[in-house]
Amino acid sequence: MKPRVFAVLSTLLFLVLTFGAGEELTLSRAVELALANHPDIKRAELQVSLAELQFGAAQTKSILPTLSLSLLPSSGTLPQANLAASVSFPVGTSNKLTGRVSLLSWYSSWNVSFSLGLDLTNPMAASESLTKLAQAVDSARASLEKTKATVIVNVIKGYLDVLSLEAQVKQAESTKNKAEQNFKTMEEKFAAGLAGELDLLGARLSLIQAELAYQQACNDYQAQKVRFLRDYLGLEGDVTLAPVSLDKEKIVAAAKNLLTSLNIEEVVEAASEVKAAKDEVEEAKKTLDRTRLSWLPTISLEIGAGPDGLTFGWSIQFDLFSPDYAARVRMSEVQLALAELNLETARSTVRQRLSDQSVALLSALQAVEQLPLEEEQWALKERINRSKYEAGLLSESDWFDFQRQKEAFMLEAQQRLAKLLLAYLNLQALLGLPVEWEGWWK
C-alpha cells in the first residue's frame, strides 16, 4: 500500500474511532489533530526537508571531487579516453583544482595535467554559498515553528469562537423565552385594561426581534462550527465541542510576566525579517567590494606530464579598461543604500507590530482585572431597576431591555479571559517563542 494512501486511511480510521460514537472533542485534542494534519504545517515540514537536503548536497559537493569520463573515436583500435576531476581547493574557496588524464590509446600516447584557477575578486564564494544554504535551513525551521504557532493560535481562537457562539445561542434562546413570557403577560394586562395598545405592540415587536436574533445566532453558530471543523481539523459532520474552563490566575500571571520582561528593541534585532534584511545589507557590501576589486587579475596555473616529460604553464588576465566599471560601482552603492533602507523599514515594521500586540495584551489584561468592578456595577444597577420595576416606576419594556443589556455584558465578560489568552499567545508567536498552548484550561 502506498504511504500516502495508508496515511489517509489511518486518519479516517482514527476519526471514526474517536468521534463516531458521539464522543466530545476537547480543545487539547483539537490542537493535536491540527498539528498532525494541517496542510500548512506539512508544507513547512517539506520545506525544511528540502532545505536540509540542498545543504547536505552542497556540503558533499564541496568536499568530494567531481569525476567525468568521456570516450572519443581514435585512429587506433581503442577509443581515446579523457578522465577529469575537479574539486574546490582550498575547500570553501571558489578556486578550482582540475586534473585530467588523456589516453589517445592504451599504448601509444598519454597526458596528465593539473590546473588551478585563482579568483582574487571573490575567493570564498563556495563557503558563502554553504553559509547561505545553512541560513536557508535555519530560516525554514523558523518558518515551520512560526506556522505551527499560527495554527495553534488559530485553532484555539476558532474553538473558543465556536463556544462563544454556542453561548450566544443559549442567551438568544433565553431572551426569546423571556420575550414570549413578557408578551403573554402584556396580553393579559391589555385584556384586563391594565396596559395600552402601544405596550402590547412593543412587547410583540420585542418578541419578533428576539426570535429573529435567535435564528440568526443559530445560523451563525452552525456555519462557524462546520467551517472550523472542516478547515482546521479536516472533520466532516457534527462533532460536540467540550466546554473549556480557563485558569484565570495562571493566564493573568503569565501575561504580566511577559509584559514585564518584554524588551522590544532586543526582539526587533532578533526578528527573522530584520535578520534577513541584515543579510541583504552584508551581501550588498560584499557585492560592492567585489565590484571595486574587479580590476584584480585572474590567475591560472597548470602543471602537466606526458611522454615528453613535465610541462608548466601560467597565465594572468587583466581587464585593462572596463567602460562600465564606474557605473557598476555606482549601481552597487545604490543597492547597498536600498538594502540599508529596507533594514530600517523592517525594524520599523517589526517594532510597530510588537508595540501593537503588547498594547493589545495590556488592554486585554486591564479588561480582565477591572471585571469585578463592572460586575458590581451591574449588580447595583439590577437592584435599583428591580426596585423601580416592582414599585411600578419602570415599565415591562424597560425592565426587559435592561435584562437583555445585562445578559449581553455577562456574555462579553465571559470572553475576556479567552481574549487575554489569545493576546498572550499571539505576542508569544510574534516574539518567535514556542507557543505554550497547554495547561491554560482545566
Side-chain angles (χ1 to χ4, degrees):
M1 184 180 293
K2 294 183 179 179
R4 182 176 180 84
V5 176
F6 178 76
V8 172
L9 292 178
S10 299
T11 301
L12 292 176
L13 179 60
F14 164 78
L15 297 178
V16 170
L17 293 177
T18 304
F19 306 111
E23 185 176 338
E24 286 185 331
L25 173 65
T26 64
L27 178 51
S28 297
R29 190 58 193 148
V31 175
E32 293 171 355
L33 193 59
L35 289 175
N37 299 291
H38 200 282
D40 289 347
I41 293 179
K42 292 182 177 180
R43 189 178 299 108
E45 288 174 342
L46 290 175
Q47 291 291 345
V48 171
S49 299
L50 179 60
E52 290 174 344
L53 289 172
Q54 290 173 337
F55 178 56
Q59 281 184 312
T60 303
K61 186 177 180 180
S62 67
I63 298 174
L64 299 179
T66 300
L67 300 176
S68 63
L69 174 66
S70 59
L71 300 175
L72 302 173
S74 66
S75 57
T77 57
L78 296 176
Q80 178 182 347
N82 291 310
L83 178 63
S86 177
V87 68
S88 174
F89 183 80
V91 174
T93 69
S94 60
N95 306 321
K96 285 293 183 181
L97 178 63
T98 302
R100 291 185 178 85
V101 178
S102 298
L103 298 174
L104 183 58
S105 94
W106 304 117
Y107 54 87
S108 63
S109 179
W110 59 273
N111 179 268
V112 178
S113 65
F114 293 93
S115 63
L116 176 64
L118 303 177
D119 185 359
L120 301 180
T121 303
N122 188 22
M124 301 302 295
S127 178
E128 290 178 4
S129 177
L130 287 176
T131 300
K132 289 180 180 179
L133 290 173
Q135 291 174 347
V137 173
D138 293 337
S139 177
R141 290 172 179 168
S143 179
L144 172 60
E145 294 305 315
K146 187 176 181 180
T147 301
K148 287 182 178 180
T150 301
V151 169
I152 290 172
V153 173
N154 287 339
V155 169
I156 294 176
K157 181 179 184 302
Y159 192 103
L160 296 178
D161 283 346
V162 173
L163 291 183
S164 175
L165 290 173
E166 185 178 10
Q168 290 180 30
V169 170
K170 294 178 180 179
Q171 184 197 53
E173 185 179 16
S174 174
T175 301
K176 180 175 71 71
N177 293 337
K178 290 179 181 179
E180 289 175 349
Q181 184 61 42
N182 181 58
F183 179 66
K184 290 179 181 179
T185 302
M186 194 60 63
E187 281 184 321
E188 294 172 357
K189 288 185 177 182
F190 178 75
L194 299 177
E197 185 179 2
L198 288 179
D199 294 328
L200 181 62
L201 293 176
R204 177 58 182 168
L205 178 60
S206 296
L207 176 57
I208 292 174
Q209 291 174 340
E211 289 179 342
L212 291 175
Y214 173 69
Q215 293 176 7
Q216 184 63 48
C218 289
N219 294 336
D220 293 343
Y221 165 67
Q222 290 296 334
Q224 183 69 14
K225 183 179 179 181
V226 170
R227 189 180 304 114
F228 168 72
L229 294 174
R230 182 188 64 238
D231 295 347
Y232 286 99
L233 308 182
L235 300 178
E236 299 291 344
D238 191 18
V239 176
T240 302
L241 302 187
V244 175
S245 177
L246 298 176
D247 191 334
K248 178 180 177 181
E249 293 183 1
K250 186 174 182 179
I251 296 174
V252 169
K256 288 182 177 179
N257 291 336
L258 185 58
L259 288 172
T260 302
S261 62
L262 180 60
N263 186 331
I264 290 184
E265 292 306 318
E266 181 179 335
V267 176
V268 165
E269 295 304 315
S272 58
E273 301 97 317
V274 176
K275 286 183 177 180
K278 288 180 179 178
D279 292 339
E280 290 179 1
V281 170
E282 292 303 316
E283 182 61 29
K285 288 180 179 179
K286 292 178 182 179
T287 299
L288 177 58
D289 291 339
R290 287 195 293 267
T291 303
R292 286 173 174 170
L293 295 176
S294 60
W295 56 270
L296 291 175
T298 299
I299 302 174
S300 297
L301 304 174
E302 184 174 351
I303 181 173
D308 298 329
L310 294 176
T311 59
F312 298 91
W314 60 271
S315 67
I316 302 177
Q317 180 180 350
F318 291 92
D319 286 336
L320 297 179
F321 176 70
S322 180
D324 62 342
Y325 175 79
R328 287 189 287 112
V329 170
R330 180 55 185 159
M331 284 189 292
S332 298
E333 291 173 343
V334 172
Q335 289 174 346
L336 175 58
L338 286 173
E340 291 173 340
L341 181 60
N342 290 338
L343 174 58
E344 292 306 314
T345 301
R347 284 173 172 153
S348 177
T349 301
V350 174
R351 188 180 295 112
Q352 186 62 49
R353 286 207 304 264
L354 286 169
S355 178
D356 291 344
Q357 193 57 51
S358 59
V359 169
L361 178 58
L362 179 60
S363 298
L365 178 61
Q366 292 172 344
V368 169
E369 291 182 327
Q370 71 185 20
L371 189 56
L373 281 177
E374 294 185 43
E375 290 175 340
E376 183 180 358
Q377 172 183 273
W378 278 96
L380 291 173
K381 286 182 177 180
E382 184 177 25
R383 289 179 60 186
I384 294 172
N385 286 328
R386 183 180 295 276
S387 298
K388 290 182 178 180
Y389 172 70
E390 292 175 350
L393 300 177
L394 194 68
S395 66
E396 290 280 354
S397 177
D398 290 339
W399 173 242
F400 176 75
D401 289 340
F402 169 76
Q403 288 180 312
R404 186 166 53 184
Q405 292 172 8
K406 182 190 175 185
E407 289 174 353
F409 162 75
M410 296 302 294
L411 182 62
E412 186 273 334
Q414 293 174 7
Q415 309 308 317
R416 292 190 186 184
L417 193 55
K419 292 180 180 178
L420 176 60
L421 174 60
L422 290 171
Y424 172 78
L425 297 178
N426 274 319
L427 184 55
Q428 267 198 324
L430 191 58
L431 294 175
L433 301 173
V435 175
E436 303 170 357
W437 62 271
E438 297 178 288
W440 301 112
W441 46 82
K442 303 173 184 178

